[in-house]
Structure formats: structure tokens, C-alpha cells
Amino acid sequence: MTGPPASHHTENQSPPIWHTLTDTQVGQTLQTSAAGLRTAEASRRLDEYGPNRLAPPKRRGPLMRLLLQFHNILLYIILGSSIVSAILGHWVDAAVLLVAVVINAVIGFIQEGKAEAAIDAIRAMLAPLAFVIRDGQRHEIAAADLVPGDVVALASGDRVPADLRLTSVKELRVEEAALTGESLPVEKNVAPVAEDAPLGDRFDMAYSGTLVVYGQATGIVVATGSATELGRINEMLSSIEGLSTPLVRQIDRFGRGLAVAILLLSAVVFVAGILWRGHSAADMFMMAVALAASAIPEGLPAIMTVTLALGVQRMARRHAIVRRLPAVETLGSVTVICSDKTGTLTRNEMTVQRMVCAGHVFDVGGVGYAPVGDFSIDGHVVDPMHCAPLAMALRTGVLCNDANMRNDDGMWHVEGDPTEGALLVAGAKAGLEHQNPESSWHRLDSIPFESEHRFMATYHHDADHAPWILVKGAPERILDMCARQWNLDGERPLDVDYWRRMATDTAAQGLRLLALACKRAAPAGDKLAFSDVETGYTMLALVGIIDPPREEAIRAVNECHHAGIRVKMITGDHVETARAIGAQLAIGVGKPALTGSEVALMDDAALRRVAMEVDVFARASPEHKLRLVRALQDGGQVVSMTGDGVNDAPALKRADVGVAMGLKGTEAAKEASDVVLADDNFASIAHAVREGRAVYDNLKKFILFMLPTNGGEALIVIAAILFDLPLPVTPAQVLWINMVTSSTLGLALAFEPAEDGIMAKPPRPVGETLLSGFFVWRVTMVSILMMAGALSLFLWELSDGTSLETARTMAVNAVVAAEMFYLLNSRHTLKTVLNREGLFGNPYVLLAIAACVPLQLAYTHLPLMQAVFDSTDLSALEWCKVIGAGLLVFCVAELEKILIRRKPAGKRLAAD
Ligand code: ATP
């Protein structure tokens, strides 16, 4: 075991072996108590031991990252060409080729660096938190600030934040696979174990990086950061993933295929030129180089990265934090979103509105968390404390409760579970206060609420030291535990039918249901066990709690429906409540709802048949979520599933896009997810889908913009070779064009905002390849246009007797001008850009075009550039011709859009 604080033992003393010590000894050694450290001491220790963080995995150094930019088959070809050009004595070409490769690599390096930094910053938003007890109070702090001696509380779903010696446990089960490789959870306790016990048998310890799958515990931090067992094996839990997605890989493959094709073509041209046209090998080599340089889209990888990173940043701004980059793309093709209800579709601001007790229905007045409001029956105000069963019910609600109410400057807040907060507020409206000694019976033990068992129980002694066990939970669950009910005239046998009727009636109004019950009894042992709490209660009351839907969720559900995405609600709540809330959100209206127990009775085939039809799933457990995801996927759907608990992790992992709640979600759920919602809000999922679609669109637009440049240039070179013309553009000039167009112009498309109708289209089919028939057509058409514009200008000028230099300068400018105009075309793939939004909607596009103009002016008129690129000055008339060639591309491209939209197949495309 790693050493304790150095100040607590001398240098030559061996460090304490924590698992062999009792918790008291550990507390003494680390000078801490159940009230935790004092804040000042904690910050002193933080200075001494450093933050509780593992050294991040070794990143590649900047030099290595720069060198890796050259590791690309397309750049190898250019580098090779540069070397041979140098050998042949074409120094300028060799240098330009080399400079082009270097500039490209530097741009790639800078852009990738920025993209990684942006994504790291977003990941840092997911830094884990820990519950610590300091100065006798519970605080939530960054896990990085934990120090030895801190007292930490663990709950199911937590990643253990540091090495802990456990001091109290409540059915704590920890999965230690991260450390021991054993995936079965280990049950923990507090008794010391033998010194030679292996890690997996040290039942009194919870080690950093392991996962609490069940129960609660507290423990004292004995080691932090790299001093933990995990730090010693020096393994980061979640490796940092690279900037790669299926689409990026598809493009990579495409790039490699293209490289091979270009090499072959260049080789054919080289051989044919020598044998057929009788050129010298040296001349033909330069031709082949020109061809290779023209056809290779060097800027492609860097822009892809930037587009993805920008998408991730935009999503983060809308509260969706992407953990796995491929999710950015998958989000765009989601066809079904399965969402939790409470807090995601609803506001999670709960207020008790109704209590059914002693044969009466009490309405509870007041809004929000302020403890002001009357109890009334049929509009007549009553004093709740005069009705003994109601008073006991309210007391049960307040005592069987882990939440807290706080008043900050006149504003009331609830800390903890909002359902429990609502009960505290209801109690306070009747004059019962949580911390009030008269009302707070001494709590001796509790079984906290877990979604699986749907109840919470506490064990108390009242003022007369009589034992009481109080429960609250889902009505079906509580009714099963009760034998009697408390009426105005005392205890009577339970009338289950009455309560069920009242439950259905209350739930049908969209109210969330809780039942309260109590029994005068003590547990068999000194702690509450499940066997103590299962039977023998007296039913007190049924509570109806309102939790209204979020306005923005109603809008987002509507938007999803328009976007061809089905929204399903999966909730632990009562089926009638679920249905009523669903109706307010337009989910599952007029369709049957299913409960978890009905799902449990179905086999996979039956579930597959109904999964698509049913939109509301109530009283559902995590394993139902998993089965539902599977059933939907088997039916060919792309599924997004939300979750927060540790048991939701398998469903989140299985879903195409697992979405975890950032606020109420456990670490386990977050780690299993692809996306974390910073605000737990359904609307953020819809935004993320929108951004996901936009990112994919932008990548497509960029590639559609980029490839015709290369295609056009390559066609120019090929035509020159075929017809034995002088090269209209030299290799150096080709590289100049590529650099200007892809690095400056193309980048602007990464900033393209989502198109207006983006959420009015059905989801993109999974596995859709970029290189569709339409795609190939568009690239070919624009390539030919570019070629036609530049080549005819070149030939026209030559036949007019202009010098080769001038004709070439014009050809180069014509290609760039065509690209500038085509950038505008590219803003919308099929919609026209001939309107205000189309021409001026993206300032980056205008900026990029504006940046290109001085570059081309410099290329044409600057003596230095003229020396390097053999360019010459152009007259005003010549400039006009250049712009005319550019306009030609623009007009034909717009015309093509109109024709495509007219054709039936095109209409389909446009609708897509
Ligand atoms: P969702 O899955 O949409 O978030 P939910 O939050 O309603 O739904 P659970 O938290 O699993 O789902 O709650 C299920 C049921 O358990 C509730 O309808 C309620 O009756 C009961 N319940 C909820 N919170 C508590 C609590 N703190 N103590 C006791 N019972 C509770």
C-alpha cells in the first residue's frame, strides 16, 4: 500500500498498511474524524500532496505531431516529385513542391492542435466530482481536490475517486475490473483484513477507479493521484480517443484510392508521352508531376478535423458534450430517441398538489418551493395537523427523506431529490420542519431510494423512544407491503381497490404518485435490512405531485417529429402519469402504453413487433431499456437512449448514441455514454441532432467544393498532354491554386450554419456513402466547367498571340476565380444561393473570398511571385475575362440546381 502523508510517519518508517488497520486507527493516523477535515487543513494538504489526478497519458510531442502531418500517402507523392524535380534541375518547381508540403503540414498542425484543444476543453467539463465531508458538512467538490484524510461518501454509480479505507458501508458492492480484471462485483465491509490479502480480497478498501454498482458507503481517503493503486499501475481509465469517425475513415480510404489512381494515371501519361509523343523523359516527368500535384487534395484531412471540432464546439454551446467523436455523425442519422421523463422532458420542479388520506382528497395550495399554501377539501381550508392520519403522513414524508430546503435571500431551494423536496415543502406548509427537534424523530438507519426497488425506508425512535419504520415509494410497491390503513376512526384493514382507484384517478391527471406508510416496529438487527421493511405497514396516504413538462421539450419533440424522428418516453413513473404527461408533450397520443411488467412477459420477437408502435413505456427498469434498444435496432432503427443510473450503462453502451444526464447522472452512466447533457434537457438532444446533421452536411459540402478544383486542374493537364499543348498551368502553379483554394476558401464551409430545412428532412440512411451517383456527377460536371473555362481562356489568349506566361497567369486566375464563385454555389447543395441569405448568409465565406483577392493580386503583380511562379501582370481587360470564366461556373452550377430540382429524382434528392 502506498504511504500515508509524509508528515504522519518518519522517513525510515514503513508506510501504514491501511487494510490491516481499524477505521479508528486510520482516522488517527491521518488526523481526521467523522466530521472530515477542516477546509484550511484540506487546502494545506492539497498543496502538500498535489491534486488527486493521474498523470495524463503521454501525448505525442509537438515535433512528433508535426512530423505525423507528413505521414500521408498524398504528401509522399508530392515529396517524391519534389526530390526528382530537384535532381532534374527544376529548382523552382522542387522548392515550390516542398514549400507546399510544408505549408500544408503546418496548417494541418495548427488546425489539428486547435481542434484537439477545443475537444480537450470540452472533455474537461466532464471532470468527475466527489461528495466529501468537511467541517462536518457535505460538499460536492472536484475529485481532483481530494486529499488524504478527506471523508468521502460513495453512492451507486460513482467511480471511486481515490483510495479509501471504508468506515461505514450499506450493502456496498464494487466492481474492480479496472484494477483486478475481475468483473464480478465485490461486496465490501469495514473489518480489517490480513496483511497479505491480495488487492481483490481487501474488502475494507475501495480503490480509485473502481465502480460502485450498488449501495452506499463512506471512507477515509488514504492515497490520492499517482499514489493510488491505479496510479501505481499507471493506467488511465478512459483512453483519449483520436480525431477519427467513420466518415473520416471513409475519406481516408478514398484518399488512398485516389493516390493509387493518380500514380497509375501519371505513370501511363509518362510512358505514353515518351513512346507516343516522343517527349524526353525529363519533360514527361514534369508533366506527370503537374498531374499528380493537380489531382491530390492535400488539404482534405485538416479540414475534416476542423469541421468535426467546430461541430463538437457548437454542440457544447447547446449543452451537449460529445464524449466520442463518431457520435457527431451518428446523431445526424438517429431515427428514434428514447428519453427519460423526469427532469429531461419535465422540469423536475415538483410540487405536491394532492393528498389522498383517510377517505378524503386534500388539495395542497401554493407554487414552487416556498412553504406557503393551504390544505383544503373541496375548497374549504382545513388544518392538516387536526387530521391525525394526514399529520402522520406529512411527518413520514418529511422524515423518510434525504433532501434539504434552503432559503437564499428569500428564494427557496431544494437540495437533493426534487420528489423528496416536494414532500419537505408540503410538510413545511403544515408547519413540520425537517430539522426541527420536535418533529425530527431521531433517525437510526435508512434504506435509500433506488429505482429498482422503488421505495425508501427509514428507522426512527420517536420522542418516547418507541421504534418506527417509515416508508415511501411507488403505490403498487407500498400497497403490497401494507395490511392495514389509517382512517379517521383508527386502523382498518386495507382496502386495496380504493387505493388503486384513487391512484389511477390521480395519475390520469398527470400527477406523479407516491404512497406513504408506517409501522411501529424495530428491525431484527440493529440495522435496517430488506427483510425488516417488506411487510406489516399501515397505509397512510397517496401523494400526487405535479412536474410539468418543459416548454422547450414540447417544441423539441415537435421538431423531432417533423425531422422524421420518433420520440419514445421511458419512465419509472406510473403508466397513467406517463400517459398524461406524454399527451402534453405529443408523445404516444392515441396509442397504447406498455409497462415494464408487460415488456418482461414478451419475448424478443414480440417486443420487436410492438417496439416501434408504442411510444410510452412506464414502470420500466434499466433491463427493459436494454431490450428495447435491441428490439429497435433489430428493426433497423438508429437509436439514441438516455439514462442516468449505473444500471442504465448497458443500454447506453448498446444504443447508437448513448446520452447521459450531466446533472443527475452517475459517473457510470456518463462513462458509458457518447454524449453528456450538461442541462439534462431533452431539447439539447434535439439541438445536437440538428448540429450532427449540419456537420455531416458541411463535410459533404466541403468535399463537393474541394474535389472539382483538383478534378478541373487534372483535366487541364490531361487535355494538354492529350492534345500536345504547352502546359496551361505548371506544377508550381497548380500547388499555389490548391493552397489558396482549400486552405483559405474551403475552410469557410466548416462554419456554415445548419440549413433552414435541416430538421424537416428524414434522417440520413445509415451507411450512406458519400460517393453517390449525384456526388460523382456534380464533381465531374464542375471539374469539366473549371477545365473548360481555364483552358479555353488559355487557348484563346495563345491564339491571340499573348505570351505563354500571360496565358498561364490568366488560366491560374481563372481557376481561382471559378473556385471563389463556386464557393458561393457550395453553400447549398441543391437550393439556390441567388438570394440575400445565399450570397451573404455566411460571413466566413465572404471573408475567405475577400482574403483570396489580395493573394491573387500578389501572385499576379508582385515581382517576387512573378519570379517564383513565372506569372505576369494582367491588364484590366484580362482581369475581366478571368472573372467572366469564374461567372460561367457560377451560372451553370446554379442552372444545374434548378434542373435537378425540377426532375422527379432531383426532387427526391432535394427533399432528402
Ligand atoms: P424517469 O425514469 O423518467 O426519470 P422517474 O424518475 O419517475 O422516471 P424513478 O425515479 O425510477 O423514475 O421513480 C419511480 C417511482 O418511484 C416514482 O414514480 C415514485 O413513485 C417512486 N419514487 C421516486 N422517487 C422516490 C423517492 N425518493 N423515494 C421513494 N419513492 C420514490
Side-chain angles (χ1 to χ4, degrees), residues 1 4 14-30 165-167 189-195 204-205 220 222:
M1 196 47 249
S14 62
I17 301 170
W18 301 109
H19 56 274
T20 62
L21 304 182
T22 64
D23 47 356
T24 330
Q25 287 169 323
V26 173
Q28 279 164 0
T29 318
L30 290 170
R165 170 65 171 84
L166 298 167
T167 51
N189 57 48
V190 295
V193 297
E195 182 174 344
D204 56 341
M205 302 287 298
I220 300 175
V222 296

Side-chain angles (χ1 to χ4, degrees), residues 226-299:
S226 50
T228 60
E229 288 298 328
L230 189 70
R232 281 158 32 122
I233 57 175
N234 199 11
E235 230 173 63
M236 273 299 272
L237 278 174
S238 42
S239 58
I240 298 199
E241 285 168 45
L243 297 167
S244 182
T245 73
L247 187 59
V248 171
R249 284 191 288 275
Q250 196 184 331
I251 297 295
D252 270 356
R253 269 198 306 277
F254 170 73
R256 277 197 298 274
L258 194 65
V260 173
I262 293 167
L263 277 180
L264 280 178
L265 189 66
S266 304
V268 169
V269 164
F270 180 72
V271 174
I274 297 171
L275 298 183
W276 182 38
R277 295 283 188 196
H279 289 301
S280 74
D283 279 357
M284 273 327 292
F285 182 78
M286 287 322 289
M287 288 268 196
V289 167
L291 184 58
S294 64
I296 293 175
E298 311 89 38

Side-chain angles (χ1 to χ4, degrees), residues 340-342 417 419-420 449 451 454-456 472-475 512-514 570-574 619 644 664:
D340 286 350
K341 172 178 72 71
T342 310
D417 181 350
T419 308
E420 299 189 348
F449 174 77
S451 287
R454 297 208 177 96
F455 71 86
M456 166 175 180
K472 71 175 199 304
R512 190 171 160 79
L513 287 178
L514 270 181
I570 300 168
T571 172
D573 233 332
H574 192 280
R619 290 291 188 233
D644 48 20
K664 66 171 185 176

Side-chain angles (χ1 to χ4, degrees), residues 47-70:
D47 289 341
E48 186 177 343
Y49 299 105
N52 174 34
R53 223 182 268 135
L54 291 187
K58 272 223 171 60
R59 280 279 177 99
R60 294 189 186 107
L63 185 67
M64 193 59 202
R65 281 199 298 128
L66 183 65
L67 285 179
L68 274 177
Q69 293 291 333
F70 294 93

